[in-house]
Amino acid sequence: MKRNEVNYNDLSPMMKQYIDIKKDYPNELLFYRVGDFYELFFEDGEIASRELELTLTGKNAGLSERVPMCGVPFHSVNPYIEKLVSKGYKVAICEQLEDSKDSKSMVKRGVIQVVSKGTVIESGFLNEFDNHYIASILDFSYLYVICYADISTGSLSVMSIPHQKEKLLSEILNLGILEVILKDNFDVELIGLLKGNYGIEVSISENILENQYQNLYENLEDEHLKESVRHLIYYLVVRELKDLSHMNPAKQIFLDDYLEMDVHTVRNLELIETLRLKERTYSLLWLIDKCKTSMGSRKLKQWLMNPLKDKNLIMDRYNKIDIFHNEFILKDKLRNALYKVYDIERICGKLTCGNLNARDFLQLKNSLGTLPEIKEICEELKFDYPLNTHPEIYDLLERAIYENPPVTIKEGYLIKTGYNEELDELKEVRSGGKTFIADFEAKLKETTGIKTLKVGYNKVFGYYIEVSKGQVSQVSDELHWERRQTLTNCERYISPELKEKEALILNAEEKIIELEYQLFLEVKQYIKEKLLSLLDTAEILSELDALCSLSVCAEEYHFVRPELNEEHHIEIKAGRHPVVEKVSNQEYVNNDCIMDKSINTLLITGPNMSGKSTYMRQLAIIIILAQMGSFVPASYANLPIIDKIFTRIGASDDLVSGESTFMVEMKEAKNAICNATINSLILFDELGRGTATYDGMSLAQAILEYISKNIQCKTLFSTHYHELTGLERNFSNIKNIHVSAKEENGSITFLHKIKSGAVDKSYGIHVASLAGMPKSLLNRANEILNYYEQESKKKKQTDEDTIQLVMNFEEEKKTDDLREYLNQIEPLRVTPMEALNILYELKQKI
């Protein structure tokens, strides 16, 4: 049965109310509160029963047949909501807005919030190490503007980026945005990519918020940025009914302030997750995260994903790490204190948008209780952090909140004795009532002579006097007892005196629960007014924790403080890949990387499995660590400030879009070539291997030449095309290096050591032998190899002439036609593919 198939006029009043509310939330699953359950009807009930594996039942709704329905208990609803949201559904929570006892007709109900993938607050769904972003993306034709928020922590950021789809996707994926809000003019192809390829929730909203939350965007000057912020907060406030009073004013992010890394670089270098298993374990972040708080872990990840380009800011972090090294006792005290700090950011988020309870307040109190010690340590370290210890909030929570409160906030036992006079009086009545019952029971036993008489209580009948069947005859009319309940073995009565006391006690209990709830809300409101100050404190604590973590890593992994230069040279002594070193069962072989101003490209040759890719990743990781403010894995490092890193490492088809390895290679290479500057770093691992040998070799050489002539940025280029090593003779800024190996008695030993010069052998058959290939197969491979090597020698002179032609085609000017043709070429604007086409046309002309 579908919702739109029923006659509205035939429905029961409650179901009419449900239909009226559901009209405003057609795309959400409506959790409709009925007593102690949330119920879902019609299509919502069918979906929820299937996704949550619940029994689909029916409910009488005034129709000839029951409407489909399923339900979940209100006190344990969060796991069900989290499961639905993780599957891509949105959930609208509809609550009873008044007590059924106070209503003479249908209980008033309304949606109090909408939960979607990007706006979950409850801790069961959130990863403590990651931010949980929802974003607005506006397309202004010539640029994109992204405003992204984590409502669980109160962070709000906005930035503009060039109008390039690849760049936009890269930012979205690097940030880990879970849900995006777009306008109708957004590119349909991009929407398909976001939803289909990357599982990002997409919503369309045209509206922007007027005259509310101006404090979140009034600090921005650019109207485009303001519009993006207002577009996002409209969706959060109006559509999802969120209270954003805990949000910090929007921070404008300038991409030029940070080292740029596209999503391929982040993945290839395994900065936050591994390539194979997509897990945090064995990533660089896993290695360096020694934080004691969730806030610190999130801050460290932000630093890793956004390395700095400002030398002064980088040096400031180095200096603080040095201080921690020198004051290691204070550092240990600080880390022990931070261990007692809970996630203040997310407690603040729950305070405004989630189901905050008294236990959250205890976590906040315990966190604030350790702030004086942290402040004292910072002063001893001479750190200039303006750390507010919030004594007034700590004192309030200490006086108000029970040490062991219940999970819910409507059961009482929230507020301590001594906090509120009226509450104390009611508690006295309640405790006095219990004394009265005991005294009353003893008195009745004495006056009536019924020794087995009991005075008890249950929620249905209230207080009662219980007399066994054998002694009912002793209950005389003079006692004026009224029969309340008859059971198999006893009778229950109520007396005028007990009835009077019952009303007093029960009213006290009810009033206590209501008053404690109101007092709890008052405490909550007081702290809510201090939220921004609390978030400032959380920011300081997260930075201290992240710095401590980097200091611990430097000591544990023997990192050194790098030097920074402006001469565009790289000098790394005994550099290491810290993750490989940590997880390897063998002793790690360190390597130098020297690239002075005259050398832009290192052309790396060597056997498979010898460590070429590790050496390349090692350089990038050392630079990223250095620019995030960390010490680095080397005995000495002198580095330039790099503005962008591009990588093409590993071979993987893009199965989702149907693109081959070679097409993916070419796209990533094109991205690097078109966007790199002289201050960039490019890592190309065996580029061109995805196509035919001569095609791949020609492309690889053309790309190398283009980088060396036109970009002149620092480049590491590994290859098995040994013919390319001849480029060193024609380009003074290209240097050959190789990873050494030792061949002995037909077997090979990888030495993993980088040496100058080139090698002319790949040892592929030796690697196949190590992999356990059948011996007969290997013998046949050697025969074929010998044949091709002999053929190669016969054609050597011809091949050299061809290569010389490729290298020096600009010098071949044999006719005026060629000269005229060459004069029309603009080398700085020619792509590698266009260079090949030009080469083909030149050969035709010749």
Side-chain angles (χ1 to χ4, degrees):
M1 183 188 298
K2 307 296 182 186
R3 194 173 69 254
N4 59 2
E5 295 174 350
V6 302
N7 187 334
Y8 179 82
N9 295 323
D10 293 340
L11 294 171
S12 64
M14 191 192 81
M15 194 54 62
K16 284 181 179 178
Q17 185 190 60
Y18 169 83
I19 293 291
D20 291 340
I21 295 171
K22 178 65 181 173
K23 283 178 184 175
D24 293 328
Y25 299 91
N27 301 318
E28 290 81 10
L29 299 178
L30 184 63
F31 275 53
Y32 183 82
R33 179 75 178 271
V34 180
D36 288 342
F37 281 83
Y38 287 107
E39 297 181 351
L40 299 95
F41 304 106
F42 298 105
E43 299 95 324
D44 288 3
E46 293 171 352
I47 292 171
S49 68
R50 181 181 68 250
E51 299 291 357
L52 300 175
E53 299 179 3
L54 300 172
T55 301
L56 185 67
T57 60
K59 189 178 185 76
N60 292 323
L63 304 175
S64 57
E65 58 180 304
R66 290 153 65 90
V67 302
M69 183 202 83
C70 72
V72 297
F74 87 96
H75 57 79
S76 60
V77 71
N78 285 339
Y80 296 106
I81 293 176
E82 290 160 9
K83 188 172 182 180
L84 289 170
V85 169
S86 68
K87 293 186 174 208
Y89 295 99
K90 295 182 182 179
V91 173
I93 301 173
C94 178
E95 286 286 359
Q96 296 176 182
L97 302 180
E98 58 184 359
D99 197 313
S100 57
K101 293 182 293 184
D102 301 330
S103 177
K104 297 181 180 178
S105 58
M106 177 64 60
V107 174
K108 185 179 178 182
R109 293 181 175 87
V111 172
I112 60 166
Q113 67 168 317
V114 175
V115 183
S116 57
K117 191 176 285 189
T119 58
V120 176
I121 293 293
E122 301 307 320
S123 57
F125 187 83
L126 300 175
N127 184 330
E128 62 179 319
F129 301 120
D130 295 327
N131 283 102
H132 206 81
Y133 289 130
I134 181 172
S136 157
I137 305 176
L138 299 185
D139 184 348
F140 290 102
S141 297
Y142 62 94
L143 61 80
Y144 294 108
V145 176
I146 306 178
C147 175
Y148 54 98
D150 182 348
I151 65 171
S152 72
T153 65
S155 69
L156 180 65
S157 304
V158 63
M159 63 182 172
S160 60
I161 64 174
H163 201 265
Q164 300 171 14
K165 292 181 183 179
E166 296 85 357
K167 206 170 190 68
L168 176 65
L169 276 173
S170 190
E171 288 298 331
I172 292 171
L173 297 175
N174 279 349
L175 286 167
I177 291 171
L178 301 170
E179 182 176 1
V180 295
I181 317 302
L182 311 171
K183 286 192 174 184
D184 274 337
N185 69 335
F186 203 78
D187 186 278
V188 176
E189 181 187 353
L190 267 175
I191 293 176
L193 279 173
L194 293 172
K195 293 177 69 173
N197 290 20
Y198 303 111
I200 296 171
E201 186 72 24
V202 176
S203 299
I204 304 297
S205 173
E206 296 296 312
N207 304 89
I208 62 175
L209 195 68
E210 303 285 354
N211 303 321
Q212 290 186 60
Y213 293 106
Q214 290 98 326
N215 64 300
L216 296 184
Y217 56 81
E218 62 187 2
N219 60 309
L220 303 172
E221 295 181 1
D222 191 313
E223 290 300 323
H224 294 115
L225 303 184
K226 287 184 178 181
E227 182 177 343
S228 181
V229 176
R230 292 165 66 197
H231 182 246
L232 177 60
I233 60 179
Y234 175 89
Y235 182 83
L236 294 174
V237 172
V238 178
R239 287 300 305 161
E240 299 215 343
L241 306 173
K242 296 292 189 290
D243 179 353
L244 303 184
S245 57
H246 70 298
M247 300 295 289
N248 279 302
K251 177 184 179 184
Q252 183 174 355
I253 304 297
F254 297 95
L255 292 179
D256 286 344
D257 292 344
Y258 303 99
L259 167 60
E260 182 181 323
M261 301 180 290
D262 62 18
V263 65
H264 306 296
T265 297
V266 172
R267 289 177 176 172
N268 287 335
L269 297 178
E270 299 183 306
L271 296 185
I272 57 176
E273 65 179 19
T274 56
L275 274 170
R276 181 175 295 179
L277 300 177
K278 307 295 183 188
E279 292 180 350
R280 189 176 190 269
T281 304
Y282 303 132
S283 68
L284 180 61
L285 181 60
W286 162 80
L287 183 82
I288 65 173
D289 187 357
K290 307 291 182 182
C291 293
K292 293 295 185 180
T293 69
S294 302
M295 301 179 293
S297 293
R298 292 194 296 270
K299 176 63 69 177
L300 194 68
K301 182 181 177 181
Q302 290 170 15
W303 286 359
L304 178 61
M305 294 295 288
N306 299 280
L308 299 166
K309 286 163 58 179
D310 187 316
K311 185 175 179 180
N312 292 328
L313 295 177
I314 297 171
M315 298 294 284
D316 180 61
R317 290 181 189 170
Y318 292 167
N319 293 337
K320 286 172 179 169
I321 293 173
D322 268 335
I323 291 172
F324 278 133
H325 282 5
N326 296 329
E327 301 288 351
F328 54 89
I329 296 176
L330 287 176
K331 180 183 68 177
D332 288 344
K333 285 179 63 179
L334 178 58
R335 297 188 78 224
N336 290 335
L338 287 168
Y339 185 70
K340 303 171 188 175
V341 175
Y342 291 85
D343 198 334
I344 296 175
E345 287 180 333
R346 286 196 165 149
I347 291 173
C348 290
K350 289 180 72 174
L351 192 60
T352 58
C353 297
N355 298 320
L356 180 124
N357 58 32
R359 295 185 181 183
D360 295 313
F361 272 156
L362 287 182
Q363 289 184 358
L364 179 59
K365 185 191 80 172
N366 292 335
S367 301
L368 298 182
T370 196
L371 290 187
E373 181 184 359
I374 294 175
K375 185 179 179 69
E376 183 180 335
I377 294 171
C378 286
E379 289 172 350
E380 289 187 60
L381 292 169
K382 295 183 172 55
F383 287 169
D384 57 350
Y385 290 112
L387 187 62
N388 186 343
T389 58
H390 306 282
E392 72 290 348
I393 298 178
Y394 178 85
D395 180 62
L396 173 64
L397 295 174
E398 176 65 22
R399 289 187 296 108
I401 305 300
Y402 265 133
E403 297 300 333
N404 189 25
V407 175
T408 66
I409 57 176
K410 291 190 175 180
E411 296 179 11
Y413 298 96
L414 299 174
I415 307 298
K416 285 181 177 179
T417 301
Y419 179 74
N420 179 273
E421 188 175 338
E422 181 183 356
L423 180 63
D424 292 346
E425 290 176 0
L426 289 169
K427 286 180 178 178
E428 277 190 35
V429 171
R430 181 176 63 185
S431 61
K434 293 175 181 177
T435 304
F436 166 79
I437 295 303
D439 293 343
F440 186 66
E441 181 178 299
K443 176 184 172 184
L444 286 179
K445 286 179 178 179
E446 184 178 342
T447 55
T448 62
I450 305 173
K451 302 302 181 184
T452 59
L453 175 150
K454 295 179 182 177
V455 177
Y457 170 82
N458 66 35
K459 290 184 178 180
V460 178
F461 294 102
Y463 286 97
Y464 55 81
I465 303 166
E466 184 177 289
V467 179
S468 62
K469 289 285 189 182
Q471 295 180 311
V472 167
S473 59
Q474 298 184 45
V475 179
S476 62
D477 294 339
E478 288 80 8
L479 294 174
H480 302 292
W481 291 1
E482 296 177 15
R483 194 184 307 275
R484 176 159 278 190
Q485 186 183 18
T486 299
L487 299 177
T488 305
N489 58 353
C490 65
E491 295 284 345
R492 290 177 175 174
Y493 302 89
I494 184 74
S495 72
E497 187 179 1
L498 186 58
K499 187 184 294 186
E500 180 183 345
K501 199 66 177 179
E502 176 188 64
L504 189 62
I505 295 169
L506 292 182
N507 283 341
E509 185 68 37
E510 200 171 290
K511 286 180 180 178
I512 286 170
I513 292 173
E514 178 60 29
L515 182 56
E516 287 203 12
Y517 177 67
Q518 293 302 323
L519 291 171
F520 180 84
L521 293 182
E522 288 178 12
V523 172
K524 183 177 176 181
Q525 182 59 37
Y526 176 83
I527 298 175
K528 190 175 175 181
E529 293 170 1
K530 310 285 186 181
L531 271 183
L532 295 183
S533 178
L534 277 171
L535 288 170
D536 288 342
T537 297
E539 174 72 13
I540 292 171
L541 294 174
S542 67
E543 186 167 326
L544 285 168
D545 200 10
L547 287 168
C548 278
S549 179
L550 294 180
S551 174
V552 170
C553 289
E555 290 181 339
E556 183 175 336
Y557 306 134
H558 309 293
F559 289 2
V560 298
R561 175 172 177 156
E563 296 177 10
L564 302 178
N565 68 74
E566 298 176 2
E567 285 73 44
H568 198 54
H569 73 261
I570 294 174
E571 183 181 3
I572 298 171
K573 298 289 185 66
R576 313 184 305 278
H577 189 302
V579 179
V580 175
E581 182 183 31
K582 173 70 175 177
V583 302
S584 176
N585 295 324
Q586 303 173 353
E587 184 178 352
Y588 189 88
V589 179
N590 58 57
N591 276 298
D592 300 344
C593 182
I594 312 295
M595 300 175 77
D596 60 28
K597 288 186 288 185
S598 64
I599 299 297
N600 296 326
T601 301
L602 294 180
L603 186 58
I604 312 170
T605 51
N608 291 303
M609 290 179 56
S610 61
K612 297 190 299 294
S613 298
T614 300
Y615 179 72
M616 298 170 74
R617 286 188 175 100
Q618 171 180 308
L619 172 60
I621 284 174
I622 287 174
I623 287 171
I624 290 167
L625 286 172
Q627 290 187 216
M628 74 175 281
S630 169
F631 288 11
V632 299
S635 64
Y636 173 79
N638 193 339
L639 306 167
I641 300 292
I642 298 294
D643 63 356
K644 303 174 185 179
I645 296 179
F646 301 95
T647 66
R648 173 58 201 173
I649 300 175
S652 59
D653 293 3
D654 187 346
L655 298 178
V656 176
S657 61
E659 292 181 343
S660 68
T661 299
F662 186 63
M663 177 57 81
V664 173
E665 274 190 1
M666 290 300 101
K667 283 192 169 183
E668 293 182 17
K670 170 250 183 184
N671 180 46
I673 290 167
C674 293
N675 293 291
T677 73
I678 193 172
N679 295 315
S680 300
L681 173 67
I682 294 178
L683 307 178
F684 282 159
D685 186 18
E686 298 184 29
L687 198 66
R689 62 183 167 182
T691 187
T693 302
Y694 289 113
D695 277 354
M697 185 172 66
S698 301
L699 271 169
Q701 180 170 326
I703 289 169
L704 263 173
E705 291 179 357
Y706 185 90
I707 293 172
S708 297
K709 292 176 183 177
N710 301 322
I711 305 175
Q712 298 183 355
C713 65
K714 298 299 185 188
T715 304
L716 267 59
F717 196 110
S718 73
T719 184
H720 283 293
Y721 298 133
H722 302 293
E723 295 83 351
L724 298 183
T725 58
L727 287 170
E728 184 183 55
R729 296 190 298 270
N730 298 78
F731 291 88
S732 61
N733 57 358
I734 294 179
K735 178 182 178 181
N736 286 323
I737 60 173
H738 70 277
V739 189
S740 58
K742 183 171 70 173
E743 187 179 4
E744 196 172 57
N745 299 326
S747 64
I748 186 172
T749 303
F750 299 116
L751 302 179
H752 305 294
K753 199 69 178 175
I754 296 291
K755 295 184 178 179
S756 294
V759 295
D760 58 0
K761 198 170 183 180
S762 291
Y763 301 97
I765 294 176
H766 294 85
V767 174
S769 175
L770 291 174
M773 284 285 190
K775 192 169 182 180
S776 60
L777 184 153
L778 296 172
N779 291 335
R780 176 58 181 155
N782 269 313
E783 291 175 7
I784 297 171
L785 176 62
N786 290 331
Y787 170 78
Y788 281 123
E789 284 178 343
Q790 293 301 320
E791 289 296 309
S792 178
K793 288 177 182 177
K794 294 177 185 178
K795 298 179 180 179
K796 184 176 181 183
Q797 187 60 46
T798 304
D799 291 344
E800 286 178 354
D801 292 343
T802 302
I803 293 172
Q804 189 65 29
L805 172 65
V806 174
M807 288 180 178
N808 300 306
F809 68 84
E810 288 187 342
E811 297 174 8
E812 296 291 324
K813 303 175 181 178
K814 296 189 177 180
T815 68
D816 290 338
D817 289 340
L818 284 176
R819 186 174 290 110
E820 184 179 343
Y821 180 81
L822 288 169
N823 286 335
Q824 295 173 359
I825 298 170
E826 295 182 308
L828 294 177
R829 297 188 179 180
V830 173
T831 67
M833 194 62 70
E834 289 170 343
L836 284 177
N837 291 331
I838 291 170
L839 173 60
Y840 177 81
E841 292 182 25
L842 282 167
K843 290 178 70 175
Q844 295 299 314
K845 288 180 183 293
I846 291 169

